[in-house]
Amino acid sequence: MALAILARKRAAEAVLRRPQALGAGVSALRASYATAAGEESDVVVVGGGPGGYVAAIKAAQLGLKTTCIEKRGALGGTCLNVGCIPSKALLHSSHMYHEAKSSFAHHGVKFSNLEVDLPAMMAQKDKAVAGLTKGIEGLFKKNKVTYVKGFGKLASSSEVSVDLNDGGSTVVKGKNIIIATGSDVKSLPGVTIDEKKIVSSTGALCLSEIPKKLVVIGAGYIGLEMGSVWNRLGSEVTVVEFAPDIVPSMDGEVRKQFQRMLEKQKMKFMLKTKVVGVDTSGDGVKLTLEPAAGGEQSVIEADIVLVSAGRVPYTAGIGLESVGVETDKAGRILVDKRFMTNVKGVYAIGDAIPGPMLAHKAEEDGVACVEFIAGKEGHVDYDTVPGVVYTHPEVASVGKTEEQVKALGIPYRVGKFPLLANSRAKAIDDAEGLVKVVAEKETDKILGVHIMAPGAGEIIHEAVLALQYGASSEDVARTCHAHPTVSEALKEACLQTFTKAIHI
């Protein structure tokens, strides 16, 4: 069927290229394509991001006839196209430059004429993104997922109307519809994003030159990562945050060390500060600031301002109201434990529903959702979804912070191990950070793990597995870890939790 659809589409495109092909002939061909695409699927996924494309592939693997609708014309959603993947490419490239500039000589590697080739750096990022998006299209073909390029919105509980990217429209019918439309950049009152002087994370990923001064509004994961990229490449970076702390969800003790590390890298912070005015009339941007609690105003100038105040669900304008799908005040779609909305046959996953706005959480939602649709059991434990800040060193965490455990009134113990006492970290001269473990006092069950270390985003998964299976700190401490590795710091922190660490 997919080949028949493709044949009709190509025939339509061939006719459209002829000057004489107008009027009724074009309409008839488009109508023919729409009719074919409108045949009923078992599952229709609206959105081709991490949650959507994974749900589509899993549904097809479970034997369900599946269609995925994506407006971008490139699969992978925000994460792959203008988020997680391109930002990690630039984080890695900028880190290589920074290491060459500040650390290589100490390791006996000397050279002259070091410079940044920004176009080449951007090209490497774009190549990575293009390869991965094409890879997902290949997976769709392999698993026989029908891919419809266009903007889809609910027409009924079993129909999605699609404005096709190539022109015209169609209706895709499905026994089950999954809303996987993801999220969008959160705007700030009075701050208009033009992606030139005032940019979102999307604009920050494709600047044509390195700004002399960059102001980041928002000290969350995205703002600190993008601030790190441009800071390493030579920008003077100032982070403005309304809250009293950076990354409010982070464990307090780890957060303090993290901020000190970023300040050591010459990033500046203005906490408990709000933006009350923006002037873009000159060459750059002038921001008027004042204390969050009110008070004397000040002005800060920048070449580029990055707005990184968080994200909001992308659920407006997709037909939810016309079908009666319920949302909360934040626009998140309300679902039950099987990811079904209040409308039978309509499901939702990922950033469009409550829970952590993370690509890997969306993927897990997608798998569990289609397992339920297929009559199986699915499960996602949001308490064991890891979070990672991909700066250097990275900061990764899973489970509860010490503050959260204390607020719950749970008696607990804490074990900490500094990277300064880890042999691998010392050997590679990269020993800033620590591992912190929080465990229940009576049972020794691990409640949370927080790591600031090079490669923390990889090490954290041992802790995720431990929490998933209800392990104790002793269980991890008695597990043999290869030497020398940075991962040994987790073993030592667990030793320190239930007895005493060896190397401190």
Side-chain angles (χ1 to χ4, degrees):
M1 181 56 67
L3 288 173
I5 293 170
L6 183 59
R8 288 186 179 95
K9 180 179 176 183
R10 284 178 176 172
E13 290 171 344
V15 173
L16 285 170
R17 283 194 291 268
R18 300 175 193 164
Q20 67 270 29
L22 298 170
V26 175
S27 299
L29 283 166
R30 284 180 175 160
S32 174
Y33 173 58
T35 302
E39 294 179 8
E40 188 173 52
S41 295
D42 295 314
V43 175
V44 175
V45 183
V46 183
Y53 88 72
V54 168
I57 291 171
K58 185 64 178 180
Q61 289 175 344
L62 293 175
L64 301 172
K65 183 179 179 182
T66 307
T67 298
C68 183
I69 302 164
E70 169 55 50
K71 68 172 185 175
R72 194 185 298 271
L75 294 166
T78 295
C79 175
L80 201 162
N81 290 277
V82 291
C84 324
I85 301 304
S87 65
K88 302 313 164 283
L90 289 183
L91 279 160
H92 181 67
S93 296
S94 62
H95 177 63
M96 292 175 71
Y97 170 73
H98 185 263
E99 285 290 282
K101 183 179 179 181
S102 61
S103 300
F104 277 16
H106 181 64
H107 290 271
V109 180
K110 296 182 179 181
F111 49 85
S112 57
N113 301 322
L114 178 67
E115 62 181 15
V116 175
D117 184 343
L118 192 59
M121 193 177 288
M122 293 295 177
Q124 189 279 330
K125 172 206 61 166
D126 294 340
K127 181 180 178 182
V129 170
L132 288 168
T133 55
K134 287 182 175 66
I136 299 172
E137 287 195 37
L139 291 172
F140 270 20
K141 291 176 182 177
K142 177 183 177 182
N143 290 281
K144 297 180 173 60
V145 175
T146 301
Y147 176 25
V148 178
K149 297 180 181 181
F151 181 84
K153 63 180 181 180
L154 292 176
S156 72
S157 60
S158 60
E159 295 175 310
V160 179
S161 65
V162 185
D163 293 329
L164 299 168
N165 290 356
D166 289 339
S169 62
T170 187
V171 174
V172 180
K173 299 179 181 179
K175 297 174 185 177
N176 303 280
I177 297 173
I178 301 174
I179 304 298
T181 47
S183 60
D184 202 356
V185 174
K186 182 180 181 180
S187 60
L188 290 175
V191 183
T192 302
I193 296 173
D194 59 14
E195 300 297 9
K196 294 177 181 178
K197 293 181 182 179
I198 302 178
V199 302
S200 67
S201 54
T202 301
L205 288 165
C206 55
L207 298 180
S208 59
E209 59 184 30
I210 300 169
K212 184 177 179 181
K213 293 184 178 181
L214 172 71
V215 171
V216 179
I217 303 176
Y221 285 38
I222 298 171
L224 296 181
E225 288 180 4
M226 294 312 303
S228 289
V229 167
W230 295 108
N231 176 61
R232 294 168 186 168
L233 296 179
S235 297
E236 181 183 312
V237 177
T238 302
V239 181
V240 177
E241 170 59 52
F242 183 83
D245 300 299
I246 67 171
V247 198
S249 60
M250 193 177 286
D251 180 89
E253 183 178 12
V254 175
R255 183 198 304 123
K256 288 178 182 177
Q257 287 206 30
F258 181 42
Q259 183 175 334
R260 284 199 295 268
M261 182 272 295
L262 292 174
E263 289 172 336
K264 187 176 179 180
Q265 295 175 8
K266 298 184 179 180
M267 288 179 65
K268 300 176 183 177
F269 292 90
M270 299 180 70
L271 305 177
K272 294 191 284 188
T273 302
K274 59 184 177 182
V275 178
V276 295
V278 181
D279 180 5
T280 59
S281 59
D283 292 335
V285 182
K286 293 182 179 180
L287 297 178
T288 302
L289 311 175
E290 70 176 38
E296 185 177 350
Q297 295 184 348
S298 60
V299 175
I300 184 171
E301 297 186 17
D303 300 293
I304 298 290
V305 172
L306 165 60
V307 178
S308 184
R311 300 187 65 82
V312 292
Y314 189 93
T315 54
I318 59 171
L320 299 181
E321 301 85 353
S322 64
V323 181
V325 174
E326 293 181 353
T327 60
D328 63 14
K329 292 181 180 179
R332 298 174 298 189
I333 299 171
L334 300 176
V335 296
D336 62 17
K337 65 180 182 179
R338 303 175 73 86
F339 298 95
M340 187 184 288
T341 69
N342 62 303
V343 177
K344 186 176 180 180
V346 179
Y347 300 78
I349 61 172
D351 287 4
I353 69 172
M357 283 185 163
L358 296 167
H360 42 286
K361 175 264 193 187
E363 292 180 0
E364 298 302 319
D365 284 355
V367 170
C369 180
V370 296
E371 285 176 334
F372 283 125
I373 290 172
K376 302 177 181 295
E377 287 299 314
H379 175 69
V380 184
D381 183 357
Y382 289 169
D383 288 333
T384 58
V385 174
V388 183
V389 187
Y390 295 90
T391 50
H392 189 86
E394 295 176 348
V395 181
S397 62
V398 63
K400 292 178 171 56
T401 64
E402 183 177 356
E403 291 79 12
Q404 289 172 330
V405 173
K406 188 178 294 184
L408 290 169
I410 301 172
Y412 67 94
R413 289 198 299 259
V414 171
K416 292 175 283 187
F417 190 81
L419 255 63
L420 282 170
N422 176 264
S423 58
R424 179 66 183 277
K426 289 292 286 184
I428 63 175
D429 192 26
D430 202 353
E432 284 192 281
L434 80 160
V435 178
K436 179 177 179 178
V437 176
V438 183
E440 190 174 9
K441 187 174 184 179
E442 183 178 356
T443 65
D444 192 36
K445 180 181 178 180
I446 298 174
L447 302 176
V449 176
H450 311 278
I451 305 171
M452 186 173 87
E458 304 295 338
I459 301 168
I460 194 64
H461 298 103
E462 180 182 358
V464 174
L465 195 62
L467 264 71
Q468 191 69 53
Y469 283 90
S472 66
S473 67
E474 184 177 0
D475 289 331
V476 177
R478 291 189 181 277
T479 300
C480 184
H481 288 62
H483 174 78
T485 60
V486 179
S487 295
E488 288 178 285
L490 176 57
K491 172 187 173 78
E492 291 271 12
C494 286
L495 269 170
Q496 184 69 8
T497 304
F498 88 95
T499 177
K500 288 185 177 181
I502 300 295
H503 291 97
I504 54 172

